[in-house]
């Protein structure tokens, strides 16, 4: 039930933000990044001082407050177009392509890297999971810049994000923990760019009536890619084989991207 509601809410949040302009999409992604840092801190404090069960009560109360607030909000009516035969345009194609590299980086970082550091490099769990600090810090930094600087050339950001993803994976899983921190920082930058960038592409190449359908289609491919990549990498050896596979995948993605672009 939580997954079903998440699938509905995330698309509508992107759609609503897009109605207020592209800068609100960047701002929304920035707040989302900040929440990935603040939320675990709040959850930890609640569980330490109040217990595990009160964590759910806290979010239940918060959801009721937000639900009440949503009832009193009003915005211009948008007649949504429900169409299973959406025209596949440039915006949705590029958003799906660059999201593949976004999903690759995020799934490997969040699912495999801390476990790899514990098992293969014999680091403590505290140090291993601290790899998320530089990753999300650079994500917040990149999205802060995007929310304050207006960018018209989306292709430059797209190319930069994919190049940084390839660079980050090229030095990931090396022998020293410091190098892995640098790789996580680089991957965090590309992670911070790609997610809001994909929604901006969809906004520019869709009308208000069809936007929620395009956003939902984009998120569908994102979640499918996330699941498939996790299953794919779980059958592979972590280390050089994984790194080479990721680099080859991103090189192919880069070729397709520039082929479509030019």
């Amino acid at each position: 039930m939580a997954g079903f509601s998440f699938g509905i809410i995330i698309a509508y949040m992107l759609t609503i933000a897009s109605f207020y302009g592209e800068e609100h999409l960047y701002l929304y992604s920035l707040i989302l990044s900040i929440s990935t840092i603040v939320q675990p801190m709040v959850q930890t404090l609640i569980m330490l001082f109040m217990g595990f069960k009160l964590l759910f009560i806290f979010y239940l109360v918060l959801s009721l407050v937000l639900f009440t607030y949503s009832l009193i909000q009003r915005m211009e009516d948008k007649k949504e177009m429900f169409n299973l035969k959406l025209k596949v345009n440039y915006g949705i194609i590029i958003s799906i392509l660059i999201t593949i590299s976004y999903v690759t980086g995020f799934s490997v970082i969040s699912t495999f890297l801390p476990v790899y550091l514990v098992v293969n490099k014999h680091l403590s769990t505290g140090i291993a999971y601290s790899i998320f600090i530089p990753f999300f810090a650079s994500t917040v930094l990149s999205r802060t810049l995007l929310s304050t600087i207006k960018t018209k050339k989306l292709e430059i950001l797209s190319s930069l994000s994919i190049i940084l993803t390839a660079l980050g994976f090229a030095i990931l899983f090396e022998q020293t923990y410091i190098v892995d921190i640098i790789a996580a920082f680089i991957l965090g930058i590309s992670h911070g760019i790609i997610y809001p960038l994909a929604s901006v592409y969809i906004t520019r190449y869709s009308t208000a009536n069809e936007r929620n359908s395009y956003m939902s289609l984009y998120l569908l491919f994102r979640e499918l890619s996330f699941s498939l990549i996790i299953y794919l990498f779980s059958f592979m050896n972590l280390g050089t084989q994984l790194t080479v596979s990721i680099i080859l995948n991103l090189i192919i993605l880069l070729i397709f991207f520039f082929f479509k672009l030019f």
Side-chain angles (χ1 to χ4, degrees):
M1 291 174 63
F4 185 78
S5 62
F6 175 79
I8 296 175
I9 292 172
I10 193 70
Y12 273 103
M13 286 193 296
L14 283 173
T15 303
I16 292 172
S18 70
F19 289 156
Y20 293 96
E22 294 178 4
E23 63 276 6
H24 282 76
L25 285 170
Y26 291 125
L27 182 61
Y28 161 73
S29 64
L30 172 61
I31 300 301
L32 188 64
S33 296
I34 294 175
S35 70
T36 60
I37 299 175
V38 175
Q39 181 173 305
M41 296 172 60
V42 173
Q43 291 174 339
T44 301
L45 290 174
I46 292 175
M47 287 190 291
L48 283 176
F49 297 103
M50 301 181 188
F52 186 69
K53 292 183 179 180
L54 286 179
L55 178 65
F56 295 94
I57 297 177
F58 171 78
Y59 281 104
L60 177 61
V61 174
L62 180 62
S63 64
L64 291 175
V65 172
L66 294 176
F67 176 75
T68 304
Y69 179 75
S70 66
L71 294 177
I72 62 176
Q73 285 296 301
R74 292 292 180 269
M75 64 180 297
E76 183 182 351
D77 290 335
K78 304 289 184 180
K79 187 177 180 181
E80 184 178 344
M81 181 186 71
F82 180 76
N83 188 357
L84 296 177
K85 296 182 179 180
L86 285 173
K87 182 180 179 181
V88 179
N89 57 30
Y90 178 80
I92 189 65
I93 292 175
I94 294 301
S95 65
I96 290 175
L97 284 177
I98 63 175
T99 299
I100 294 175
S101 60
Y102 155 82
V103 169
T104 303
F106 186 70
S107 61
V108 172
I109 287 288
S110 59
T111 308
F112 297 107
L113 184 55
V115 178
Y116 173 80
L117 293 175
V118 171
V119 175
N120 290 60
K121 297 190 177 182
H122 308 291
L123 298 177
S124 66
T125 54
I127 295 177
Y129 279 90
S130 66
I131 199 74
F132 289 112
I133 296 176
F135 180 79
F136 284 116
S138 60
T139 297
V140 171
L141 177 62
S142 60
R143 291 181 179 176
T144 301
L145 293 175
L146 286 176
S147 63
T148 55
I149 300 175
K150 292 186 177 181
T151 306
K152 294 183 178 180
K153 293 289 185 180
L154 299 183
E155 290 79 7
I156 296 177
L157 286 176
S158 303
S159 303
L160 176 63
S161 62
I162 295 176
I163 291 172
L164 288 176
T165 302
L167 176 62
F169 276 120
I171 63 176
L172 194 61
F173 301 111
E174 293 299 327
Q175 297 301 316
T176 60
Y177 178 65
I178 298 299
V179 175
D180 287 334
I181 290 178
I182 296 173
F185 187 87
I186 294 174
L187 289 171
I189 297 175
S190 61
H191 172 83
I193 294 174
I194 290 176
Y195 180 59
L197 188 63
S199 59
V200 171
Y201 264 115
I202 294 175
T203 299
R204 289 192 180 185
Y205 289 91
S206 64
T207 64
N209 296 341
E210 61 189 9
R211 191 161 301 160
N212 190 66
S213 296
Y214 275 115
M215 289 292 187
S216 300
L217 182 62
Y218 149 68
L219 291 169
L220 170 63
F221 276 93
R222 193 189 76 173
E223 299 305 321
L224 285 175
S225 300
F226 190 89
S227 301
L228 291 175
I229 287 172
I230 289 178
Y231 281 117
L232 175 63
F233 290 164
S234 65
F235 290 103
M236 300 171 61
N237 294 323
L238 289 173
T240 304
Q241 182 180 354
L242 176 58
T243 305
V244 172
S245 300
I246 296 172
I247 295 299
L248 289 176
N249 177 57
L250 293 177
I251 289 175
I252 295 173
L253 173 64
L254 202 60
I255 292 173
F256 276 114
F257 175 76
F258 281 107
F259 177 78
K260 177 61 183 176
L261 187 61
F262 299 107

